[in-house]
Amino acid sequence: MSLDLNFMLALDTVVREGSVAKAALRLHKAQSAISYQIKQLEQQLGLDLLDRDGYRVKLTSAGEVVLNEGRRLLIQANQLEALARDLNQAWEAKLVVIVDGILPLQTILKALKDLADEGAPTRVQVKVEFLRGVQHRFESEKADLMIVKDYTPHPHLHAENLAEIECVLCVAPEHALAQMKKVSLAQLQEHTELSVQDSSQSGNDEHVFGSERVFYLDGFFAKKEALLMGLGYGWMPSFLVKDELKKRKLVEVKFEEGSRYRFVPRMVHHRDQALGRAGRRLAELLRL
């Protein structure tokens, strides 16, 4: 067959990214090369795949059918490559993992240590992000794994649940909120709220309360220090403040709508970007 999967990849990327220019950036190619590959694919198949009359790139009806089947071919090709690497006992050269900073890093580091102890030569990059910035970085850097609190599902993302995490709304014992037996939303909003900032520029923490003053810190360790100083109130993962709550260096805010919530983090990877040997092994270790 004369069908070139690189042409199909070009079409898939243009549709995902919404333009030839963005696809060229993602694939590190010239725009002219992307356009040429798609035209070659159309000539090989004898079909118009893209409707180029509008402002945005759109698939024709034939293009939608072809791309759906093509994506299955891309997934199968990646799986075949991963199988070949596995049969050759080959490790991938690099593994990029994006981790949500609200999750226990110790668990991830333990899995990485086990991977290293098993002799994996793969160079692993672990990058910590927050909130929507986790998925933004996962997609923009085309990373291998994302371990995240919240994400936007997509048919081409595979996700599995990890162990549940609890968060608690807390404050320093000398803070005014700590003295109150029952705290309303209006009363919370009178005080400085502490949150963390992400890099996506697409929105912040959905659990913020809307206080007039909100301080955004660069991570949960900085946020914890700010809480201990009495700077304000905020949500913290329970595992990070367990000792401080026990010793009453921090106290739980008696918020009338609930001062604790739980969430199930997820481990996510691309269906069409098959994990290599190190990635699959790391995923196994994180499930334990």
Side-chain angles (χ1 to χ4, degrees), residues 229-243:
M229 290 172 59
L231 184 59
Y233 70 93
W235 293 106
M236 286 292 291
S238 296
F239 68 87
L240 276 183
V241 293
K242 180 174 60 176
D243 290 341

PDB file of all heavy atoms in Angstrom, residues 229-243:
ATOM      1  N   MET A 229       1.642  31.057  59.204  1.00  0.00           N
ATOM      2  CA  MET A 229       1.912  32.438  59.589  1.00  0.00           C
ATOM      3  C   MET A 229       0.634  33.194  59.933  1.00  0.00           C
ATOM      4  O   MET A 229       0.694  34.323  60.440  1.00  0.00           O
ATOM      5  CB  MET A 229       2.623  33.175  58.454  1.00  0.00           C
ATOM      6  CG  MET A 229       4.055  32.741  58.204  1.00  0.00           C
ATOM      7  SD  MET A 229       4.710  33.508  56.698  1.00  0.00           S
ATOM      8  CE  MET A 229       4.530  35.242  57.109  1.00  0.00           C
ATOM      9  N   GLY A 230      -0.520  32.596  59.644  1.00  0.00           N
ATOM     10  CA  GLY A 230      -1.777  33.292  59.897  1.00  0.00           C
ATOM     11  C   GLY A 230      -2.160  34.264  58.807  1.00  0.00           C
ATOM     12  O   GLY A 230      -2.982  35.154  59.016  1.00  0.00           O
ATOM     13  N   LEU A 231      -1.584  34.102  57.609  1.00  0.00           N
ATOM     14  CA  LEU A 231      -1.840  35.028  56.519  1.00  0.00           C
ATOM     15  C   LEU A 231      -3.271  34.937  56.007  1.00  0.00           C
ATOM     16  O   LEU A 231      -3.849  35.917  55.541  1.00  0.00           O
ATOM     17  CB  LEU A 231      -0.861  34.748  55.371  1.00  0.00           C
ATOM     18  CG  LEU A 231      -0.909  35.669  54.162  1.00  0.00           C
ATOM     19  CD1 LEU A 231      -0.643  37.116  54.564  1.00  0.00           C
ATOM     20  CD2 LEU A 231       0.113  35.221  53.118  1.00  0.00           C
ATOM     21  N   GLY A 232      -3.870  33.749  56.082  1.00  0.00           N
ATOM     22  CA  GLY A 232      -5.232  33.572  55.598  1.00  0.00           C
ATOM     23  C   GLY A 232      -5.682  32.137  55.798  1.00  0.00           C
ATOM     24  O   GLY A 232      -5.096  31.392  56.577  1.00  0.00           O
ATOM     25  N   TYR A 233      -6.745  31.776  55.076  1.00  0.00           N
ATOM     26  CA  TYR A 233      -7.289  30.424  55.182  1.00  0.00           C
ATOM     27  C   TYR A 233      -7.227  29.756  53.803  1.00  0.00           C
ATOM     28  O   TYR A 233      -7.093  30.432  52.772  1.00  0.00           O
ATOM     29  CB  TYR A 233      -8.742  30.463  55.665  1.00  0.00           C
ATOM     30  CG  TYR A 233      -9.699  31.028  54.643  1.00  0.00           C
ATOM     31  CD1 TYR A 233     -10.375  30.208  53.755  1.00  0.00           C
ATOM     32  CD2 TYR A 233      -9.914  32.410  54.546  1.00  0.00           C
ATOM     33  CE1 TYR A 233     -11.241  30.732  52.799  1.00  0.00           C
ATOM     34  CE2 TYR A 233     -10.771  32.950  53.604  1.00  0.00           C
ATOM     35  CZ  TYR A 233     -11.431  32.100  52.724  1.00  0.00           C
ATOM     36  OH  TYR A 233     -12.273  32.614  51.778  1.00  0.00           O
ATOM     37  N   GLY A 234      -7.331  28.421  53.770  1.00  0.00           N
ATOM     38  CA  GLY A 234      -7.324  27.751  52.469  1.00  0.00           C
ATOM     39  C   GLY A 234      -7.391  26.241  52.597  1.00  0.00           C
ATOM     40  O   GLY A 234      -7.223  25.678  53.679  1.00  0.00           O
ATOM     41  N   TRP A 235      -7.667  25.604  51.463  1.00  0.00           N
ATOM     42  CA  TRP A 235      -7.710  24.146  51.390  1.00  0.00           C
ATOM     43  C   TRP A 235      -6.288  23.580  51.338  1.00  0.00           C
ATOM     44  O   TRP A 235      -5.420  24.127  50.667  1.00  0.00           O
ATOM     45  CB  TRP A 235      -8.438  23.701  50.121  1.00  0.00           C
ATOM     46  CG  TRP A 235      -9.900  24.016  50.071  1.00  0.00           C
ATOM     47  CD1 TRP A 235     -10.500  24.990  49.327  1.00  0.00           C
ATOM     48  CD2 TRP A 235     -10.946  23.339  50.769  1.00  0.00           C
ATOM     49  NE1 TRP A 235     -11.860  24.969  49.518  1.00  0.00           N
ATOM     50  CE2 TRP A 235     -12.170  23.958  50.397  1.00  0.00           C
ATOM     51  CE3 TRP A 235     -10.976  22.267  51.670  1.00  0.00           C
ATOM     52  CZ2 TRP A 235     -13.399  23.551  50.898  1.00  0.00           C
ATOM     53  CZ3 TRP A 235     -12.208  21.856  52.162  1.00  0.00           C
ATOM     54  CH2 TRP A 235     -13.402  22.496  51.782  1.00  0.00           C
ATOM     55  N   MET A 236      -6.091  22.461  52.018  1.00  0.00           N
ATOM     56  CA  MET A 236      -4.822  21.742  51.958  1.00  0.00           C
ATOM     57  C   MET A 236      -5.095  20.248  51.878  1.00  0.00           C
ATOM     58  O   MET A 236      -6.042  19.753  52.510  1.00  0.00           O
ATOM     59  CB  MET A 236      -3.979  22.021  53.204  1.00  0.00           C
ATOM     60  CG  MET A 236      -3.343  23.398  53.246  1.00  0.00           C
ATOM     61  SD  MET A 236      -2.051  23.645  51.989  1.00  0.00           S
ATOM     62  CE  MET A 236      -0.773  22.537  52.594  1.00  0.00           C
ATOM     63  N   PRO A 237      -4.278  19.496  51.139  1.00  0.00           N
ATOM     64  CA  PRO A 237      -4.399  18.035  51.197  1.00  0.00           C
ATOM     65  C   PRO A 237      -4.059  17.554  52.606  1.00  0.00           C
ATOM     66  O   PRO A 237      -3.068  18.011  53.198  1.00  0.00           O
ATOM     67  CB  PRO A 237      -3.382  17.548  50.157  1.00  0.00           C
ATOM     68  CG  PRO A 237      -2.462  18.694  49.926  1.00  0.00           C
ATOM     69  CD  PRO A 237      -3.225  19.935  50.208  1.00  0.00           C
ATOM     70  N   SER A 238      -4.889  16.675  53.129  1.00  0.00           N
ATOM     71  CA  SER A 238      -4.744  16.262  54.535  1.00  0.00           C
ATOM     72  C   SER A 238      -3.369  15.685  54.842  1.00  0.00           C
ATOM     73  O   SER A 238      -2.829  15.896  55.936  1.00  0.00           O
ATOM     74  CB  SER A 238      -5.826  15.236  54.889  1.00  0.00           C
ATOM     75  OG  SER A 238      -7.108  15.822  54.801  1.00  0.00           O
ATOM     76  N   PHE A 239      -2.779  14.959  53.886  1.00  0.00           N
ATOM     77  CA  PHE A 239      -1.484  14.322  54.172  1.00  0.00           C
ATOM     78  C   PHE A 239      -0.378  15.342  54.420  1.00  0.00           C
ATOM     79  O   PHE A 239       0.614  15.036  55.076  1.00  0.00           O
ATOM     80  CB  PHE A 239      -1.087  13.365  53.034  1.00  0.00           C
ATOM     81  CG  PHE A 239      -0.767  14.053  51.729  1.00  0.00           C
ATOM     82  CD1 PHE A 239       0.510  14.510  51.458  1.00  0.00           C
ATOM     83  CD2 PHE A 239      -1.739  14.233  50.769  1.00  0.00           C
ATOM     84  CE1 PHE A 239       0.807  15.142  50.257  1.00  0.00           C
ATOM     85  CE2 PHE A 239      -1.468  14.853  49.561  1.00  0.00           C
ATOM     86  CZ  PHE A 239      -0.187  15.314  49.310  1.00  0.00           C
ATOM     87  N   LEU A 240      -0.552  16.574  53.932  1.00  0.00           N
ATOM     88  CA  LEU A 240       0.471  17.603  54.131  1.00  0.00           C
ATOM     89  C   LEU A 240       0.327  18.354  55.454  1.00  0.00           C
ATOM     90  O   LEU A 240       1.275  18.999  55.894  1.00  0.00           O
ATOM     91  CB  LEU A 240       0.431  18.616  52.985  1.00  0.00           C
ATOM     92  CG  LEU A 240       1.195  18.278  51.706  1.00  0.00           C
ATOM     93  CD1 LEU A 240       1.093  19.417  50.713  1.00  0.00           C
ATOM     94  CD2 LEU A 240       2.660  17.962  51.993  1.00  0.00           C
ATOM     95  N   VAL A 241      -0.841  18.293  56.064  1.00  0.00           N
ATOM     96  CA  VAL A 241      -1.066  19.058  57.297  1.00  0.00           C
ATOM     97  C   VAL A 241      -1.511  18.163  58.455  1.00  0.00           C
ATOM     98  O   VAL A 241      -1.973  18.659  59.479  1.00  0.00           O
ATOM     99  CB  VAL A 241      -2.107  20.185  57.069  1.00  0.00           C
ATOM    100  CG1 VAL A 241      -1.547  21.244  56.129  1.00  0.00           C
ATOM    101  CG2 VAL A 241      -3.412  19.625  56.535  1.00  0.00           C
ATOM    102  N   LYS A 242      -1.359  16.855  58.300  1.00  0.00           N
ATOM    103  CA  LYS A 242      -1.808  15.922  59.332  1.00  0.00           C
ATOM    104  C   LYS A 242      -1.156  16.221  60.675  1.00  0.00           C
ATOM    105  O   LYS A 242      -1.842  16.310  61.704  1.00  0.00           O
ATOM    106  CB  LYS A 242      -1.492  14.484  58.893  1.00  0.00           C
ATOM    107  CG  LYS A 242      -1.913  13.420  59.877  1.00  0.00           C
ATOM    108  CD  LYS A 242      -1.690  12.025  59.279  1.00  0.00           C
ATOM    109  CE  LYS A 242      -0.227  11.813  58.939  1.00  0.00           C
ATOM    110  NZ  LYS A 242       0.027  10.431  58.445  1.00  0.00           N
ATOM    111  N   ASP A 243       0.163  16.397  60.688  1.00  0.00           N
ATOM    112  CA  ASP A 243       0.870  16.659  61.951  1.00  0.00           C
ATOM    113  C   ASP A 243       0.503  18.023  62.527  1.00  0.00           C
ATOM    114  O   ASP A 243       0.340  18.168  63.746  1.00  0.00           O
ATOM    115  CB  ASP A 243       2.384  16.571  61.735  1.00  0.00           C
ATOM    116  CG  ASP A 243       2.843  15.150  61.475  1.00  0.00           C
ATOM    117  OD1 ASP A 243       2.086  14.203  61.808  1.00  0.00           O
ATOM    118  OD2 ASP A 243       3.939  14.973  60.926  1.00  0.00           O
TER     119      ASP A 243
END
